Amino acid sequence: MNRSATHIVTEFVLLGFPGNWKIQISLFTLFLVVYVLTLLGNGAIICAVRCDPRLHTPMYFLLGNFAFLEIWYVSATVPNMLANMLSKTKVISFSGCFLQFYFFFSLGTTECLFLAVMAYDRYLAICRPLYYPTLMTRRVCGMLVSICWLIGFLGYPIPIYFIFQLPFCHSNIIDHFLCDMDPLMALSCAPAPITETIFYAQSSFVLFFTIMYILRSYMLLLRAVFRVPSASGRWKAFSTCGSHLAVVSLFYGTVMVMYVSPTYGIPTLMQKIVTLVYSVMTPLFNPLIYSLRNKDMKLALRSVLFGMRVCKNS
């Protein structure tokens, strides 16, 4: 039996965060400010990387593309969440729910791959400095960025299509602020263990492969850094990697709580908060993390924000 034969559930209700109307208005204001700041912060990084010649290097090219990814990642969930906070019905269409589901996981997978590529870039810059200019050319960077996007968006259409075909005839209420795997499978009236296994195996593979690669890169990187004779040289090497490590820790720490460890014993509200951290707060913090300890980025951002530099055509 497939969904087209039942015609029972045609829309879902996203409950979002609990609270009366005043609380919903307060949350709406808070998340609207967060969303606008995220767009402005990441947009400023994109402009800085494009406009400042000092940032025309592989590291900043990847950072600019990462900021572009973060804008799309946060936009996959927050606009609909904001609309739901002001809605009395909190309804999302059946196809809209699965479209959000697809973009949310595809963009999340792309982010994991981007973080691995950025770790590779730092490894080459510090451990293979003589080969770095020839290995990380603009063409290579463009290829790596394209591969991240392709793998991220081509990996989930088939499993999500099979979930889309499941009959949903129990309830249409999702106790979450977005369409996620566990809430959707809980509403299905036909078990799909193979589809669930494939989906979680694929997600776990991406998470573990990228985090293990990042950890291996930084183990080799740290070994090289400790061999640097001068303290100032070691500090400079650490400072270029500290921002990336902070983002990796924040993103992977919360993602693994949701998609690797069992979530059955975790309260629903806590699951929403954890999801909120990696899907909404991480894109907000990234511009701050990458700019606070980076002199070139701070100078470029100051030029962009205060109009001290005219953007040159690349």
Side-chain angles (χ1 to χ4, degrees):
M1 182 174 63
N2 58 28
R3 186 185 61 84
S4 61
T6 60
H7 293 288
I8 295 177
V9 175
T10 59
E11 59 188 22
F12 293 104
V13 176
L14 293 172
L15 295 183
F17 291 93
N20 56 32
W21 180 246
K22 290 184 178 179
I23 293 177
Q24 295 299 311
I25 293 297
S26 300
L27 290 174
F28 173 84
T29 305
L30 172 64
F31 290 127
L32 179 62
V33 171
V34 168
Y35 183 56
V36 171
L37 290 177
T38 301
L39 297 182
L40 292 175
N42 286 283
I45 286 181
I46 295 171
C47 292
V49 171
R50 179 175 175 81
C51 300
D52 197 311
R54 290 170 297 185
L55 305 186
H56 292 175
T57 63
M59 182 180 77
Y60 292 111
F61 175 79
L62 294 174
L63 180 57
N65 280 273
F66 187 68
F68 177 75
L69 169 64
E70 292 290 64
I71 289 175
W72 284 101
Y73 189 46
V74 74
S75 297
T77 56
V78 174
N80 185 74
M81 180 175 66
L82 292 174
N84 275 359
M85 287 177 179
L86 299 182
S87 171
K88 294 183 178 180
T89 59
K90 301 183 182 296
V91 167
I92 184 172
S93 67
F94 194 96
S95 57
C97 182
F98 277 90
L99 194 63
Q100 183 191 65
F101 183 29
Y102 168 69
F103 276 102
F104 181 67
F105 272 88
S106 296
L107 291 166
T109 300
T110 305
E111 178 153 346
C112 291
L113 297 171
F114 255 98
L115 290 172
V117 169
M118 293 168 77
Y120 173 68
D121 172 74
R122 292 299 82 209
Y123 162 75
L124 288 180
I126 294 176
C127 298
R128 298 287 187 270
L130 297 179
Y131 299 98
Y132 181 69
T134 57
L135 291 176
M136 287 298 288
T137 62
R138 192 170 185 86
R139 180 172 177 271
V140 171
C141 289
M143 288 178 58
L144 291 173
V145 168
S146 299
I147 290 171
C148 289
W149 283 98
L150 285 173
I151 294 177
F153 276 81
L154 294 179
Y156 286 98
I158 294 177
I160 290 180
Y161 172 78
F162 282 114
I163 299 172
F164 180 83
Q165 293 299 310
L166 292 174
F168 293 88
C169 51
H170 288 158
S171 172
N172 68 335
I173 297 177
I174 298 177
D175 192 5
H176 213 313
F177 63 86
L178 54 79
C179 295
D180 205 352
M181 179 67 176
D182 285 340
L184 284 172
M185 294 307 299
L187 299 182
S188 173
C189 51
I194 296 177
T195 302
E196 284 190 82
T197 301
I198 292 174
F199 186 90
Y200 280 115
Q202 182 176 329
S203 300
S204 298
F205 174 77
V206 171
L207 285 172
F208 279 113
F209 172 78
T210 52
I211 191 62
M212 293 305 295
Y213 182 82
I214 291 170
L215 291 175
R216 180 180 179 276
S217 297
Y218 273 97
M219 287 176 62
L220 296 173
L221 189 149
L222 289 173
R223 188 172 67 178
V225 168
F226 284 124
R227 292 176 180 174
V228 176
S230 65
S232 61
R234 288 195 298 270
W235 172 252
K236 184 178 180 181
F238 274 125
S239 64
T240 60
C241 304
S243 300
H244 184 254
L245 275 176
V247 173
V248 168
S249 302
L250 182 63
F251 180 76
Y252 276 96
T254 50
V255 167
M256 286 190 169
V257 169
M258 286 300 300
Y259 298 108
V260 177
S261 61
T263 59
Y264 298 108
I266 303 177
T268 303
L269 181 59
M270 184 57 64
Q271 293 185 36
K272 295 177 185 179
I273 293 173
V274 172
T275 304
L276 192 70
V277 171
Y278 71 80
S279 65
V280 179
M281 303 311 295
T282 301
L284 171 67
F285 292 148
N286 282 349
L288 297 175
I289 293 173
Y290 280 113
S291 62
L292 286 178
R293 298 180 62 184
N294 190 307
K295 182 180 178 181
D296 290 337
M297 180 58 73
K298 283 191 287 188
L299 291 174
L301 287 173
R302 192 175 297 129
S303 299
V304 170
L305 294 175
F306 295 101
M308 296 171 60
R309 187 180 298 275
V310 178
C311 183
K312 299 178 181 180
N313 294 326
S314 59

